[in-house]
Amino acid sequence: MSCPLCDDACADADLAPLLIPQLTWLWLALAAVADRRGDETLTAGPAVTVTVPASPAERAAAAGLIGGRPLEPGQRRRVRLEELTAALATRGPSLTPGAIAAHATTRRLAAKARSRAKHTAASDRLRAQLDSAVTGLPHHVRERVGTDTVFSRLHSAGWITRLLNTPDPAALLAQALQVAGSLPPPGRRIDRRTLVPGNPHALDSGALPALVLALTGSSASTVRSSWARLGVDCDDLLGGLIITGITPRGWRIPPGATFTLPPRELAKIAWERPEIPGTWVFVTENPSVLAAASTHALAQDTATTPRVICTAGTPSQLECEAVGALSDAGWHIAVRADFDQAGLAHMRALLAAAPAAVAWRMSAADYLTAVPGGTETLHLQASDAPWDASLVSVMREHSVPVYEEDLLPALLADITVGTPGSSQP
């Protein structure tokens, strides 16, 4: 059985003369150096400087190990490790200064360095696992994960250490990557309970769902919102559409009130008809637009309630169909989202479900009115914006997203007058 202190460097050695109390000072000094250097053996490297003790017995005991002139009390003396190793060889063929220091202190030396090396090796294995696995993920998932940055991002967030503290880091990472690989492409939705076959509650809580969200860089104010950004629905009671100014048929909502219709209600939605046929409803991606419209209406002390529906991120197919059902009730529909990859996907899904709807301030000209300088990269396909043939090329040229908040004054003006506008000449 291997010696737990020195990996059998003490085998066939006579340690007794070296472990006498009079030599403890020397081994303590060497143990401290071994810990500092991360070197368990101390057979080579820079000489170690020790302070010679005042005790004649301690100086005499070390005289055969530290060569050169006689040791003087309080003297600073350099101990050459190669020479000390050779001196110890007379007591054991594999003895090292570090091995004797470990036995003298009854502990393994350089524990922190060994732990760091073990951590580094385990981290390297996780990095290799990530590098190998992400190449096999679907294209839309690879873009979310960020193949070049995912390891550094996880490391910075503390996830590598957190993984290494789990019973089976490789298995947990593999399972999280498998879940990520099942995420839907932009514009589509999936039930979270189906992402782990045979275990509908696997993503309810714990390390696995948290790691999936970390891998995909999905962070929002709530876990539900984080999943929603990935096109994942959690249940049919929470989430849905945020609404002001329009009501389901038969409902009584206080004028100007904002409320949420959860998926369960949207499944059987029938809208009240507008008082004036052809009245516009404005559909946005971000709650900030709806909130600003309501606040603006209150500030203007107008009797007209803004008619706004907010998808609060990626709309589900059910939500898209509920928006489309507004046409059946006699409403005109204006839809929009952020100028980024996800936003364009939202637009395609909404326009597919509501063919009578119009793209509201989502043209190339609208994009150019608010485009800032930036260095981000937008990964867009030529077919991503079928409502405007010029939009994708313009967005590729500038390669930076434009968010709804960047167009807020124009959006509020349109909502106030009740007609969608555009910068399109």
Side-chain angles (χ1 to χ4, degrees):
M1 182 176 178
S2 176
C3 173
L5 298 177
C6 67
D7 288 337
D8 283 344
C10 60
D12 301 322
D14 181 14
L15 298 182
L18 299 171
L19 296 179
I20 58 176
Q22 292 82 359
L23 282 175
T24 299
W25 67 273
L26 176 60
W27 306 130
L28 287 176
L30 289 171
V33 172
D35 290 337
R36 189 167 60 252
R37 293 183 183 180
D39 179 0
E40 285 189 87
T41 62
L42 290 180
T43 57
V48 175
T49 300
V50 298
T51 300
V52 178
S55 165
E58 291 177 325
R59 297 199 306 275
L65 300 173
I66 303 176
R69 61 185 184 278
L71 302 177
E72 300 292 337
Q75 181 185 33
R76 300 275 289 172
R77 193 66 171 265
R78 289 169 60 82
V79 178
R80 300 186 182 280
L81 296 175
E82 294 85 354
E83 294 178 359
L84 179 57
T85 301
L88 295 175
T90 61
R91 297 292 180 180
S94 301
L95 280 181
T96 67
I100 302 302
H103 280 271
T105 56
T106 64
R107 64 178 177 84
R108 190 75 179 256
L109 303 185
K112 288 183 179 180
R114 260 193 343 276
S115 177
R116 285 195 299 269
K118 183 178 179 181
H119 184 280
T120 299
S123 296
D124 288 344
R125 289 193 294 272
L126 288 180
R127 181 195 288 270
Q129 182 181 355
L130 264 175
D131 290 344
S132 174
V134 295
T135 58
L137 294 174
H139 177 72
H140 68 279
V141 178
R142 290 201 306 273
E143 287 191 342
R144 275 200 167 276
V145 169
T147 54
D148 296 332
T149 61
V150 59
F151 182 84
S152 60
R153 181 163 48 79
L154 291 177
H155 189 276
S156 298
W159 260 105
I160 299 303
T161 297
R162 184 174 175 182
L163 266 172
L164 294 177
N165 287 331
T166 63
D168 193 339
L172 177 57
L173 180 58
Q175 189 176 19
L177 287 163
Q178 185 175 16
V179 172
S182 301
L183 294 172
R188 296 182 60 186
R189 310 285 302 187
I190 194 171
D191 189 322
R192 187 175 67 175
R193 293 166 294 185
T194 66
L195 286 172
V196 180
N199 190 350
H201 300 292
L203 299 177
D204 287 354
S205 62
L208 176 59
L211 179 55
V212 174
L213 295 178
L215 275 170
T216 53
S218 183
S219 60
S221 56
T222 65
V223 171
R224 176 176 296 272
S225 298
S226 296
W227 283 111
R229 290 187 177 186
L230 298 175
V232 177
D233 296 322
C234 297
D235 53 53
D236 65 352
L237 293 177
L238 298 176
L241 297 175
I242 308 171
I243 302 172
T244 188
I246 312 100
T247 59
R249 186 180 301 165
W251 285 41
R252 294 293 178 262
I253 302 294
T258 298
F259 62 99
T260 298
L261 281 181
R264 179 171 294 185
E265 299 299 332
L266 293 175
K268 55 182 186 295
I269 192 68
W271 299 102
E272 286 285 3
R273 302 185 69 82
E275 293 182 5
I276 302 174
T279 300
W280 286 93
V281 176
F282 299 90
V283 180
T284 75
E285 175 184 348
N286 298 288
S288 57
V289 178
L290 187 152
S294 297
T295 301
H296 181 72
L298 290 172
Q300 297 298 313
D301 194 23
T302 176
T304 303
T305 299
R307 297 173 297 277
V308 183
I309 293 178
C310 175
T311 64
T314 301
S316 67
Q317 183 61 33
L318 180 62
E319 291 163 1
C320 290
E321 291 171 357
V323 170
L326 289 162
S327 296
D328 299 332
W331 296 91
H332 284 179
I333 312 167
V335 299
R336 67 156 296 107
D338 291 327
F339 284 104
D340 59 9
Q341 185 183 21
L344 299 189
H346 301 172
M347 287 292 294
R348 295 194 301 275
L350 286 166
L351 292 172
V358 300
W360 169 35
R361 291 195 182 272
M362 286 296 294
S363 69
D366 295 310
Y367 174 81
L368 289 172
T369 63
V371 63
T375 58
E376 297 186 51
T377 300
L378 294 175
H379 302 283
L380 303 176
Q381 305 296 321
S383 59
D384 280 351
W387 61 89
D388 185 330
S390 303
L391 178 56
V392 169
S393 61
V394 170
M395 291 179 66
R396 282 174 170 173
E397 177 184 353
H398 291 273
S399 198
V400 63
V402 168
Y403 300 105
E404 289 192 305
E405 291 82 358
D406 298 324
L407 294 163
L408 194 55
L411 302 184
L412 293 181
D414 292 346
I415 293 171
T416 300
V417 300
T419 305
S422 175
S423 300
Q424 189 74 40

